[in-house]
Amino acid sequence: MTDGVQLRVQAEDLMRAEDDEGLLLLVPRLRTDEHWGRMWAPGCAIAAARLGRADEARDFLFEALDGGFFQPELFDGELERAFGAEPDWPQLQAKLTANLPPAPLEIVVWPSLTPKLPLELFRTTPEREEQLRPLLPELSGSSWERAVTLLHWVTDRWEHANDHVGADEDAVDVLRHVDEDGLRFACVEYSTVLSHALNASGIPARRLSLRQRDFHAGWGKGHVVSEAWIDDFGQWVVLDGQNGAYWSFDVAPLSTLELQAALADGRQPALLAADGPMRPDVAAWWFTYFHQVSTTGATWAQPPFVPHFQHELRPSQLLVGSPQDVYPDLAEIGISVDVRGGTAATRFTSRHPYTIGYAVQYDGERHVVDGADPVWPLPTSGGSHAATVAVRTPSGELTPQPLVFRITG
């Protein structure tokens, strides 16, 4: 135990035992301790008051006030009992209140992650993605441009046929069967290749199972497509690999949630393929598949849910009541406070699976934060500060999120 620690322990024991004479004997040594103004001066003021040494007590009290003391509650009412009857006690209390220092740092506005279920993508293993990438077409441009290139490439790889690969076979296997064995497959395989290719290209993608109304009976009641998070639009978009198409009311592609809402409202969008819109009657047929939806990791439906498909009992993904639970906004950012070099910093986190870092825009300058160490030291100058932070991906930067903080300098 160091001398300083030993002195503090001794003083605390004397205060606890109300050994006022013993505590005052330590005053010369206690004055050298960094806690003199915050702890020992008010304690000595109480001790001197109890001994009837009023002038000395007030001197100690004013030393405490001048030293920034503001926590009378630490002394369990003893300070009030010692000085509460004095005429200037209200002024002394005001001084105590005024001594409360402002917070050195206040985070006023910050980005946050909306609670969602864990994101599950439909992707193959990293090793198989390495084998898949050389098989893909050359990609360039924005996230959406690369997604459309992959969409039409998959559609043109083979002519549709009602055959399927094994449940454990991935995009590499499907392409091998097509190229080496001359096999042709159905919507499931188009979606498998497209989803795996998108993820291998840094575009988050899932497989989407669609079912028509009354899917428990009859045949041909299901269709399988893909959905991808497109950084350009900041949303999930439906991509139909079999038809090489996506849905739209004008130019922007639609999400699964938008398509289900349109189906419920009786508003049919256009189904846009590489060579233009499909015939309205053809599009109308494909549109009916959005009655019931299951994505990678989750199935959503309003009760009751029917676990039969085309006369057979089928397992489901995790049942959820709201599709919002499984559609995270991958532009969202979470922050926590870190400490770097003795100063405050912010640590960023994102749900985007292909985050490579963050971009902070502050005071007219852009700061690039590496995803391997996503920490941005806050400026130390006093005052209010406003910044934005955006997720960085291989496709670019997502929607900036606000960050406002205040520093007392």
Side-chain angles (χ1 to χ4, degrees), residues 316-372:
S316 78
Q317 304 278 9
L318 179 69
L319 285 177
V320 298
S322 170
Q324 301 295 339
D325 294 337
V326 292
Y327 280 88
D329 180 349
L330 299 187
E332 287 185 340
I333 297 171
I335 75 163
S336 56
V337 176
D338 209 325
V339 179
R340 288 294 170 92
T343 63
T346 50
R347 176 178 291 275
F348 304 125
T349 185
S350 165
R351 287 196 186 96
H352 198 299
Y354 304 118
T355 298
I356 60 174
Y358 302 86
V360 176
Q361 192 71 28
Y362 169 72
D363 196 23
E365 295 185 4
R366 181 174 177 272
H367 305 264
V368 176
V369 179
D370 191 345

Side-chain angles (χ1 to χ4, degrees), residues 68-228:
F69 175 66
F70 62 92
Q71 289 184 277
E73 68 274 9
L74 295 177
F75 295 91
D76 297 324
E78 288 295 326
L79 206 64
E80 289 81 357
R81 283 189 283 274
F83 299 98
E86 299 194 8
D88 61 347
W89 178 242
Q91 289 81 10
L92 297 177
Q93 284 183 308
K95 176 66 172 174
L96 285 168
T97 302
N99 274 346
L100 177 65
L105 170 65
E106 293 177 314
I107 310 295
V108 181
V109 177
W110 60 91
S112 61
L113 297 172
T114 305
K116 301 286 183 181
L117 291 173
L119 175 62
E120 293 187 40
L121 301 179
F122 188 76
R123 60 186 301 188
T124 187
T125 65
E127 295 77 13
R128 297 288 280 181
E129 286 183 347
E130 287 296 325
Q131 297 177 40
L132 177 59
R133 289 188 186 100
L135 306 179
L136 302 180
E138 183 176 346
L139 301 175
S140 62
S142 68
S143 176
W144 177 236
E145 291 169 331
R146 292 186 290 130
V148 170
T149 297
L150 288 172
L151 172 65
H152 298 316
W153 169 79
V154 169
T155 306
D156 291 338
R157 288 294 277 109
W158 68 87
E159 186 177 350
H160 177 272
N162 283 313
D163 192 15
H164 298 289
V165 297
D168 60 344
E169 294 188 274
D170 64 7
V172 176
D173 295 313
V174 173
L175 294 173
R176 176 175 53 80
H177 287 311
V178 169
D179 293 338
E180 298 179 8
D181 306 325
L183 300 182
R184 296 152 52 197
F185 302 105
C187 58
V188 174
E189 286 68 30
Y190 283 109
S191 178
T192 294
V193 175
L194 179 55
S195 299
H196 286 176
L198 287 163
N199 280 305
S201 304
I203 299 173
R206 307 188 287 198
R207 193 160 69 177
L208 200 64
S209 296
L210 309 176
R211 294 178 179 178
Q212 294 171 320
R213 187 181 300 276
D214 301 323
F215 55 83
H216 65 282
W219 306 103
K221 292 293 188 77
H223 185 43
V224 180
V225 296
S226 300
E227 60 179 358

Side-chain angles (χ1 to χ4, degrees), residues 23-34:
L23 180 65
L24 294 178
L25 288 174
L26 291 180
V27 165
R29 295 174 61 197
L30 289 174
R31 286 187 188 279
T32 66
D33 187 77
E34 61 179 321

Side-chain angles (χ1 to χ4, degrees), residues 215-281:
F215 55 83
H216 65 282
W219 306 103
K221 292 293 188 77
H223 185 43
V224 180
V225 296
S226 300
E227 60 179 358
W229 171 269
I230 304 300
D231 290 346
D232 310 26
F233 307 126
Q235 72 170 38
W236 294 88
V237 168
V238 174
L239 300 171
D240 188 330
Q242 177 180 328
N243 291 307
Y246 59 90
W247 297 88
S248 177
F249 277 116
D250 39 48
V251 177
L254 297 175
S255 69
T256 310
L257 304 187
E258 290 171 321
L259 285 163
Q260 276 209 313
L263 181 63
D265 294 341
R267 300 179 298 113
Q268 182 184 313
L271 185 56
L272 304 178
D275 53 356
M278 291 191 178
R279 293 199 329 264
D281 58 324

